[in-house]
Amino acid sequence: MELFQLLCSASYYHLPAHLKRCFAYCSIFPKDYEFKEQQLVLLWMAEGLIQPQEGEKQMEDLGKDYFRNLLSRSFFQQSNYDDSIFLMHDIINDLAQLVVGDIYFRMDERFGSSKQGKIYKMARHLSYPGGGTKPLEAFSKLTYLRTFLPLMLPQYPGCCLLTQEVPLELLSKLRCLRVLSLSGYYIYKLPNSIGDLKHLRYLDLSYTPITSMPESITTLYNLQTLILDQCSYLKKLPSTFENLVNLRHLNNLGTYSLEGMPPQMGKLTCLHTLSHLVVGEASCSGVKELGPLLHLQGTLCISRLENVIEPRDAREAKLIEKSDLDGLLLEWSDKLNESKDRTSELDILNMLRPGGTLKELIIRFYGGTRFPSWLRYSSFPNMVLLRIENCKKCTSLPPIGQLPSLKDLSIEGMDGVKNLAAEFYCIKACILYQMGKSKPELLIKLVYCVKISSPNMTH
């Protein structure tokens, strides 16, 4: 074990300076804490640890390079049950603690020690078990704190219990924060003083019951990452949201109560991540606001598409030009008045054609009688997942039988389907062909699931 420790130390001292800084930041994680690559890269970005030179890659891509470099040197290791989750070996974690001293402070291990006063004075980055019962008023002493990061740990499952008064007290004193997480806390609103955190770059409000956000949040011009994941009670975003001109990642998955997006979302041209665009009515941003967002990547959900009136608005979204999108969910509301005229939905869906690099596509509650011509094998050579759900008025299925990379197909709630085209029957042959090309150990990953429950269908 001592030999392993020596090897780890030697490996650290041979790291280039930028990787040393990134590794040191990981000392904020407790032992056995599991994290994802993007989570860590976004924290590095917020702390200014990724500084691309002119003409270099985007910060996110550089951060991925840094992460994979550290992974290749065994500073991180993959979880045994999920390849997308990582952690640090206990000895590597000890090494991280050793090289940073008291600048990084994990309250779970050192709270109550005789060094407490000294650590409070020096600490710049703080983490603690979010479900713990440590006196949060003590944090107000950390006037130069840059990272405030409660972490959900296995020994503290579920939500935290934080009164609304504590953020009011904290935020009025912690003016140097760059990273602020209140994830999982039982708070309904943020104080207006959030706007005083002029250095803030990373704000995580996920899994909180907030219903709205103060307008003052739009004065955080340095904000890069805003996480609203599973804020299911959030009804609206600030009306001047377009002022967040440096925002790069907006994760708002699970914001089911959102009534629409703020106006002029298209001004946020730095956005790389926009998890959920809710098409509002006349006073809100429409789908055409996606047009100027040229850097979108990952997965995008567009919901309440019944609010798109003009098909040309859908065309101006320019989804076909967003080649970095991997996944797309197109969704109409499930409870629409039966008397509503839905004849324009085919034109709208036709204009929402995504780029050919798409890997996953889900269409829900579409009200047209047929699918657009772009949904065919020649358009999506990389598509591995296709789900068509509750499109009850469609009388036939698209010619998807020869999608060359398809592995996961689910078709549900298609009450109006009357027949299957010949192209559909090619699916099984296509998948058998794929299995024939694959390595035997990969066969288990091929999923073939077609579920059709239509009483009208004939073969």
Side-chain angles (χ1 to χ4, degrees):
M1 186 65 71
E2 291 182 1
L3 177 61
F4 184 52
Q5 290 174 321
L6 289 172
L7 290 173
C8 292
S9 298
S11 297
Y12 169 77
Y13 286 110
H14 284 91
L15 286 176
H18 65 280
L19 291 184
K20 283 183 178 179
R21 291 191 294 268
C22 289
F23 171 69
Y25 190 82
C26 300
S27 66
I28 205 169
F29 295 144
K31 291 182 178 179
D32 300 322
Y33 179 75
E34 297 178 338
F35 52 91
K36 292 194 173 185
E37 177 183 309
Q38 187 185 41
Q39 174 194 6
L40 185 52
V41 168
L42 295 181
L43 289 171
W44 284 343
M45 285 171 48
E47 294 296 345
L49 300 178
I50 304 173
Q51 295 290 338
Q53 301 299 316
E54 185 176 353
E56 280 192 330
K57 298 178 179 179
Q58 296 275 354
M59 280 193 290
E60 292 82 358
D61 294 329
L62 272 180
K64 290 177 182 178
D65 290 345
Y66 293 0
F67 186 95
R68 290 162 190 173
N69 196 328
L70 289 170
L71 177 64
S72 69
R73 297 168 186 254
S74 300
F75 287 97
F76 305 143
Q77 61 187 53
Q78 284 181 312
S79 164
N80 291 328
Y81 62 87
D82 189 337
D83 289 347
S84 69
I85 293 177
F86 301 86
L87 65 161
M88 294 190 294
H89 190 281
D90 284 357
I91 292 179
I92 296 292
N93 194 290
D94 290 338
L95 173 63
Q97 286 285 292
L98 179 66
V99 300
V100 298
D102 292 329
I103 300 299
Y104 293 79
F105 177 50
R106 294 204 309 242
M107 181 166 280
D108 62 310
E109 291 186 357
R110 293 192 263 180
F111 188 87
S113 71
S114 59
K115 297 170 61 181
Q116 177 178 325
K118 179 182 176 182
I119 293 172
Y120 274 157
K121 184 177 180 179
M122 298 180 62
R124 296 294 182 268
H125 309 278
L126 173 107
S127 71
Y128 68 100
T133 57
K134 308 301 183 186
L136 298 181
E137 61 271 13
F139 298 164
S140 62
K141 299 178 182 179
L142 306 174
T143 52
Y144 295 102
L145 195 68
R146 292 166 60 126
T147 301
F148 181 89
L149 194 65
L151 300 171
M152 293 295 103
L153 304 176
Q155 60 267 41
Y156 299 113
C159 289
C160 310
L161 296 175
L162 180 66
T163 64
Q164 296 184 34
E165 289 73 22
V166 174
L168 284 167
E169 178 185 348
L170 284 176
L171 299 183
S172 64
K173 297 180 179 180
L174 306 181
R175 299 293 184 89
C176 296
L177 281 178
R178 290 192 174 195
V179 172
L180 171 61
S181 174
L182 297 173
S183 176
Y185 282 101
Y186 203 69
I187 52 174
Y188 290 95
K189 64 179 181 179
L190 288 175
N192 287 325
S193 59
I194 188 80
D196 296 332
L197 306 182
K198 302 302 182 183
H199 301 286
L200 197 64
R201 297 183 181 181
Y202 179 104
L203 177 59
D204 186 355
L205 301 172
S206 59
Y207 296 92
T208 61
I210 59 171
T211 58
S212 63
M213 304 176 71
E215 288 289 333
S216 62
I217 204 170
T218 64
T219 64
L220 302 177
Y221 302 118
N222 292 309
L223 194 65
Q224 297 172 343
T225 300
L226 177 58
I227 303 177
L228 303 172
D229 189 19
Q230 304 306 315
C231 292
S232 56
Y233 298 98
L234 182 63
K235 294 183 177 180
K236 63 179 182 178
L237 296 173
S239 61
T240 54
F241 201 76
E242 77 276 8
N243 290 340
L244 297 175
V245 292
N246 289 305
L247 192 65
R248 302 172 73 91
H249 300 276
L250 174 57
N251 180 352
N252 59 332
L253 278 177
T255 49
Y256 306 114
S257 298
L258 268 184
E259 299 167 352
M261 307 302 288
Q264 304 185 67
M265 286 288 292
K267 290 186 176 181
L268 302 180
T269 54
C270 290
L271 272 181
H272 285 61
T273 302
L274 175 58
S275 303
H276 186 194
L277 179 84
V278 183
V279 181
E281 298 181 355
S283 61
C284 298
S285 273
V287 69
K288 66 181 179 181
E289 295 292 334
L290 289 170
L293 307 183
L294 304 179
H295 302 295
L296 288 183
Q297 56 188 234
T299 299
L300 167 65
C301 168
I302 308 177
S303 66
R304 299 196 184 180
L305 280 166
E306 68 276 5
N307 288 327
V308 179
I309 306 301
E310 297 292 338
R312 66 173 177 269
D313 289 347
R315 180 178 63 229
E316 290 179 18
K318 300 179 182 179
L319 292 185
I320 195 171
E321 298 179 11
K322 303 183 191 329
S323 58
D324 292 327
L325 280 181
D326 296 323
L328 179 64
L329 192 161
L330 301 173
E331 185 176 59
W332 284 256
S333 294
D334 59 338
K335 296 179 181 178
L336 292 180
N337 191 323
E338 290 296 328
S339 63
K340 179 178 175 60
D341 181 12
R342 306 187 69 175
T343 56
S344 64
E345 291 190 16
L346 174 59
D347 291 334
I348 291 168
L349 185 55
N350 195 42
M351 296 298 179
L352 290 173
R353 177 178 179 172
T357 56
L358 200 70
K359 296 179 181 178
E360 299 183 359
L361 175 65
I362 302 174
I363 301 174
R364 289 178 181 158
F365 303 108
Y366 165 60
T369 57
R370 59 189 177 91
F371 290 96
S373 58
W374 54 256
L375 191 51
R376 60 178 69 247
Y377 72 94
S378 59
S379 301
F380 302 102
N382 302 315
M383 187 176 293
V384 295
L385 181 148
L386 175 63
R387 294 179 183 169
I388 302 175
E389 302 173 359
N390 296 295
C391 305
K392 297 183 182 296
K393 293 188 177 182
C394 288
T395 58
S396 62
L397 294 170
I400 55 179
Q402 297 182 37
L403 286 165
S405 302
L406 190 65
K407 297 178 182 179
D408 187 332
L409 173 64
S410 178
I411 300 175
E412 300 182 27
M414 304 294 289
D415 297 350
V417 172
K418 297 179 180 179
N419 58 74
L420 295 179
E423 294 92 339
F424 191 87
Y425 287 112
C426 295
I427 292 176
K428 187 173 183 180
C430 172
I431 290 183
L432 288 174
Y433 174 65
Q434 288 292 322
M435 292 176 68
K437 292 196 304 179
S438 302
K439 297 179 181 179
E441 61 268 23
L442 298 181
L443 295 185
I444 194 170
K445 295 185 178 180
L446 292 171
V447 180
Y448 175 50
C449 175
V450 180
K451 294 174 278 187
I452 304 176
S453 55
S454 174
N456 303 319
M457 188 180 67
T458 58
H459 297 274

